[in-house]
DNA sequence: CAGTATCCTTTATGATACTG
DNA sequence: CAGTATCATAAAGGATACTG
């Protein structure tokens, strides 16, 4: 097979990038990299993440083999989400991104203010 | 000020993450980290990226201080886009993500096939 | 608790045509 | 060449209600 190249539209790695370059995925893997967490706890951990989008995102992550889902048959049911070994390798890249965003948000806000002031 | 925390909806770093966790931004900074590039060359370099979305994305990146735009008054006009020092610090994180996507697309495809086969 | 289903609104993207 | 403007469509997301 040819080398994966995300710059080519049809390359599988492009699909992966599209899935993975997502705000909620970054935040979700950030939580799960630290601890196994239940559905509603994830909702509380990540402000602004709706139940619907959380549900979808987790399903995608599970399908991609990045997160695993464990159902514990209590009443009512308990569901635990954990990161997989593959997911953990991604999470470390994500954490870099997350920390970058936190470290540079001030500089970016300043750049935006400068830009907005420059045009009339 | 309090510590930036992207898990809080109102935190500026959340906005940054949202902007930056984007497929086109990853690919674009990947190109610009290597060389200053002109508008239409960027279009050709990144398959599937429309003129409209390229234009929008570049404008955002410029506003955020991650990319700089230089107009050269030839006829017709030439416009060169380069990465800024701030953008370069982000690009190195992005490259990690990009390479991860390329390195693991096969594993992910397999995980998806397994998942899809499992549910009937 | 951990979801799914539905409806409805808001965003994003695509195609096309036009300009300095 | 490097865009902008406009229109049309598709996709994403929020609110609400309901279920095992």
């Amino acid at each position: 097979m040819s080398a994966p190249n995300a710059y080519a539209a049809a390359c599988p790695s492009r699909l992966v990038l599209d899935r993975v370059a997502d705000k909620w995925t970054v935040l979700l893997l950030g939580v799960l990299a630290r601890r196994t967490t239940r559905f509603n706890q994830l909702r509380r951990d990540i402000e602004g993440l709706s139940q619907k989008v959380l549900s979808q995102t987790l399903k995608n992550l599970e399908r991609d083999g990045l997160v695993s889902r464990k159902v514990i048959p209590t009443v009512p049911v308990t569901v635990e989400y954990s990161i997989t070994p593959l997911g953990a390798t991604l999470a470390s890249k994500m954490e870099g991104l997350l920390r970058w965003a936190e470290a540079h948000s001030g500089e970016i806000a300043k750049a935006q203010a400068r830009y907005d002031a420059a045009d009339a």
Side-chain angles (χ1 to χ4, degrees), chain A:
Chain A
M1 67 180 95
S2 61
N5 169 23
Y7 288 92
C11 184
S13 64
R14 168 70 73 89
L15 297 172
V16 172
L17 184 62
D18 197 24
R19 170 72 44 81
V20 131
D22 168 74
K23 175 176 58 175
W24 302 124
T25 297
V26 174
L27 293 169
L28 224 25
L29 288 185
V31 173
L32 295 177
R34 296 187 184 289
R35 49 183 159 72
T36 292
T37 310
R38 290 164 61 179
F39 187 88
N40 281 317
Q41 186 58 46
L42 287 168
R43 270 193 79 181
R44 275 175 246 119
D45 287 347
I46 303 176
E47 252 193 81
L49 176 52
S50 71
Q51 187 174 40
K52 180 178 173 178
V53 172
L54 174 57
S55 172
Q56 286 173 169
T57 306
L58 285 171
K59 203 178 288 184
N60 284 331
L61 290 174
E62 193 197 354
R63 179 165 183 265
D64 291 346
L66 301 171
V67 156
S68 69
R69 179 174 179 274
K70 183 179 176 188
V71 179
I72 302 164
T74 51
V75 180
V77 71
T78 300
V79 181
E80 286 183 350
Y81 290 90
S82 326
I83 203 159
T84 62
L86 179 60
T89 67
L90 176 57
S92 72
K93 310 287 177 193
M94 296 292 202
E95 255 194 75
L97 202 60
L98 190 53
R99 278 201 294 260
W100 188 94
E102 294 179 345
H104 298 283
S105 62
E107 281 174 86
I108 288 177
K110 271 193 223 165
Q112 292 175 347
R114 237 178 287 125
Y115 183 94
D116 295 345
D119 85 278

